[in-house]
């Protein structure tokens, strides 16, 4: 489904939240905690849809499963800022069991707020 693919791409872009990383000495574990900022997610979605409507495209809707996976990738990116997952697999492996044949990942860093992300 083409729309689902577009949502997957956009969902990665809008997984914006505040995270903290702490490494526990001598335990080999890393703790990542944070709060998902749904206000920012919804604002980026709204800005994206405004642009889509200007271009005669259907608006996007959030997909619960894709959002869950995008949030997981956001946590992983805090641990390792890379398109490679902490387990050394490629980023798209988080989506392998989905029916989509075309996916993409955009990592946005250093932006202050949703409109800054969209202007970037």
């Amino acid at each position: 489904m083409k729309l689902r693919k577009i949502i997957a791409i956009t969902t990665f872009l809008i997984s914006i939240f505040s995270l903290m990383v702490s490494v526990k000495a001598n335990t080999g574990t890393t703790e990542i905690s944070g709060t998902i900022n749904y206000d920012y997610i919804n604002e980026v979605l709204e800005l994206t849809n405004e642009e889509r409507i200007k271009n005669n495209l259907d608006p996007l809707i959030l997909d619960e499963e894709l959002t869950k996976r995008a949030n997981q990738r956001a946590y992983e990116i805090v641990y390792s800022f890379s398109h490679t997952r902490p387990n050394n697999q490629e980023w798209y492996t988080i989506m392998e069991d989905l029916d989509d044949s075309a996916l993409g990942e955009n990592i946005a860093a250093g932006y202050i707020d949703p409109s800054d992300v969209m202007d970037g």
Side-chain angles (χ1 to χ4, degrees), residues 17-65:
F17 49 105
S18 304
L19 298 171
M20 294 179 55
V21 177
S22 68
V23 178
K24 292 190 173 187
N26 300 323
T27 65
T29 62
T30 303
E31 288 185 12
I32 301 172
S33 62
T35 304
I36 299 170
N37 188 333
Y38 285 100
D39 289 339
Y40 274 15
I41 291 171
N42 289 323
E43 188 175 340
V44 171
L45 180 63
E46 184 178 318
L47 293 169
T48 299
N49 282 336
E50 286 173 9
E51 291 302 313
R52 290 181 61 81
I53 289 166
K54 286 179 191 175
N55 289 284
N56 296 318
L57 298 170
D58 291 333
L60 301 177
I61 56 170
L62 283 181
D63 179 288
E64 185 178 336
E65 184 60 32

Side-chain angles (χ1 to χ4, degrees), residues 106 114 120:
N106 296 306

Side-chain angles (χ1 to χ4, degrees), residues 1-2 4-6 8-9 91 99-104:
M1 173 190 265
K2 196 170 192 173
R4 186 174 168 99
K5 294 172 193 171
I6 294 168
I9 294 166
W91 66 269
D99 227 4
D100 297 311
S101 59
L103 299 167

Side-chain angles (χ1 to χ4, degrees), residues 39-98:
D39 289 339
Y40 274 15
I41 291 171
N42 289 323
E43 188 175 340
V44 171
L45 180 63
E46 184 178 318
L47 293 169
T48 299
N49 282 336
E50 286 173 9
E51 291 302 313
R52 290 181 61 81
I53 289 166
K54 286 179 191 175
N55 289 284
N56 296 318
L57 298 170
D58 291 333
L60 301 177
I61 56 170
L62 283 181
D63 179 288
E64 185 178 336
E65 184 60 32
L66 293 174
T67 300
K68 177 182 165 187
R69 293 172 193 224
N71 289 335
Q72 175 62 39
R73 279 294 297 137
Y75 276 101
E76 292 175 357
I77 289 167
V78 168
Y79 176 77
S80 174
F81 191 78
S82 171
H83 291 292
T84 302
R85 300 180 70 194
N87 63 4
N88 290 320
Q89 293 181 333
E90 294 297 319
W91 66 269
Y92 57 82
T93 59
I94 200 164
M95 305 285 225
E96 280 184 334
D97 62 323
L98 296 178

